[in-house]
Amino acid sequence: MRLGINLGYWGLGMDADNIAVAREADRLGYSVCWAAEAYGSDAATVLSFVAAKTERIDVGSAIFQIPARTPAMTAMTAATLDTLSGGRFRLGLGVSGPQVSEGWYGVKFDKPLARTREYVEIIRKAMSRERLVHEGAHWTLPLPGGPGKPIKLTVHPVREQIPLYIAAIGPKNLELTGEIADGWLGIFFSPEHSALSLDALRAGRAKAGRTLDGFDLCPTVNIAVGEDVKAGVDGLRSYAALYIGGMGSKEKNFYNQLTRRMGYEQAADEIQEKYLAKDYAGAAAAVPHDLIDATSLIGDTARIADRMQAYADAGVTTLTLAPSGFTLDERIQALRTGVEALDRAGLA
């Protein structure tokens, strides 16, 4: 099992530290460094900067938001980043959510599965450097009746195929991810509830005549290093409450729905009700201890090593760490503990 690092969003006051974290992860042999985007910093610019400051570690988008760019633009960006980084780019995609898609990008959040399938198909065509022709429900290239003509990408990516990942939570999106992607970007993944994700991914792979062999299962997990497990859990409560309670509307919150599928229906209701009422402290307090502990790496090196073994046993191939600390020293300690725990578990 390989390790990754997720820098999260740029522009939160830790930008210089983010580069130091990426460089330390590079030095320690981490496999990939991911950057995110929502409606602040864009991931492409961040990744180009990280790639320039590192030597070996891959850089990946977790995620590029599908409503933010046309598929051809995403292909151009992926090809450019792969070239600039010397073949170290991984393309992670996701549909985002209705509030961001419609409120920020002005793109209707409808038929996300069909849109994702077309998006990936166009990207693969473009990056294969064939002349781009596509006729679908969401995109038609070239536009009919005008001056447009089939064009092919002028940039030559370093690799023939750039690894393509999809961030997915719901069963149908997970199945699509297994069918059309090279890897999966997960969140709130628990080894004890792995079937909620992996069964659908396997079904998608079977549709494509494949298995999970060679498919990168890549969940992001928070890591909190320390002897006091309760303190580590408490430090992650606000993060969990934000996603379960406030990331989306009451009717459509994918993280809340996942929490329900994991068996925490009552807690999911309470967290969302309190968060939407702006009782953020109450929402955080309502997140079950066991839910956070099951979806994170918390404790000393030995305890974290045991949990890493559980993730490996569940089939995870790249475990991406998101350090819970805000200081550079805390984040660097988490990186080093991750390597020590991986070695202790015999997974390196």
Side-chain angles (χ1 to χ4, degrees), residues 43-253:
T45 306
V46 172
L47 292 171
S48 64
F49 190 49
V50 171
K53 297 289 185 177
T54 55
E55 296 178 2
R56 296 170 298 277
I57 194 169
D58 282 4
V59 293
S61 55
I63 54 160
F64 283 167
Q65 298 168 104
I66 285 175
R69 303 168 181 83
T70 67
M73 182 70 239
T74 296
M76 290 168 59
T77 302
T80 304
L81 280 167
D82 198 55
T83 302
L84 289 174
S85 65
R88 291 188 284 141
F89 179 63
R90 303 187 194 185
L91 174 59
L93 301 170
V95 294
S96 188
Q99 290 181 320
V100 174
S101 183
E102 299 189 13
W104 186 246
Y105 296 116
V107 176
K108 190 72 175 173
F109 191 82
D110 62 344
K111 300 182 179 178
L113 299 180
R115 187 181 295 271
T116 299
R117 184 184 291 277
E118 274 193 52
Y119 201 89
V120 169
E121 184 179 337
I122 294 169
I123 287 172
R124 290 203 190 279
K125 282 182 182 177
M127 290 197 298
S128 72
R129 302 193 68 250
E130 64 179 271
R131 294 198 177 275
L132 191 53
V133 176
H134 179 84
E135 191 170 329
H138 299 281
W139 289 276
T140 300
L141 300 167
L143 283 175
K149 63 180 182 180
I151 300 171
K152 75 177 177 180
L153 184 70
T154 60
V155 176
H156 291 256
V158 174
R159 292 163 297 170
E160 288 188 9
Q161 183 171 337
I162 294 172
L164 189 149
Y165 295 69
I166 295 176
I169 296 174
K172 291 182 180 179
N173 200 9
L174 284 162
E175 187 172 322
L176 177 68
T177 298
E179 182 184 353
I180 68 175
D182 304 308
W184 168 61
L185 299 174
I187 189 170
F188 293 114
F189 178 81
S190 161
E192 291 74 24
H193 297 89
S194 61
L196 291 174
S197 303
L198 300 193
D199 285 355
L201 288 167
R202 285 193 189 93
R205 297 300 285 170
K207 277 188 175 181
R210 299 172 182 170
T211 69
L212 286 176
D213 290 345
F215 185 82
D216 195 10
L217 296 171
C218 184
T220 291
V221 298
N222 290 304
I223 177 170
V225 180
E227 298 291 335
D228 189 339
V229 173
K230 182 180 182 302
V233 168
D234 289 344
L236 294 170
R237 288 185 176 280
S238 294
Y239 170 87
L242 167 64
Y243 279 82
I244 299 168
M247 203 66 87
S249 65
K250 183 174 178 58
E251 295 74 25
K252 191 166 287 188
N253 179 322

Side-chain angles (χ1 to χ4, degrees), residues 283-299:
V287 181
H289 175 107
D290 291 348
L291 172 61
I292 296 174
D293 195 23
T295 56
S296 311
L297 299 173
I298 301 173

Side-chain angles (χ1 to χ4, degrees), residues 242-311:
L242 167 64
Y243 279 82
I244 299 168
M247 203 66 87
S249 65
K250 183 174 178 58
E251 295 74 25
K252 191 166 287 188
N253 179 322
F254 306 123
Y255 310 97
N256 190 281
Q257 292 164 8
L258 173 60
T259 303
R260 293 172 184 279
R261 290 196 296 275
M262 293 172 71
Y264 296 97
E265 295 92 343
Q266 185 175 344
D269 282 338
E270 184 179 357
I271 295 163
Q272 187 177 64
E273 180 181 343
K274 290 183 174 180
Y275 200 95
L276 294 180
K278 299 188 178 179
D279 179 8
Y280 303 129
V287 181
H289 175 107
D290 291 348
L291 172 61
I292 296 174
D293 195 23
T295 56
S296 311
L297 299 173
I298 301 173
D300 58 17
T301 303
R303 192 173 193 270
I304 289 173
D306 287 343
R307 288 303 291 165
M308 282 188 170
Q309 183 64 62
Y311 276 94

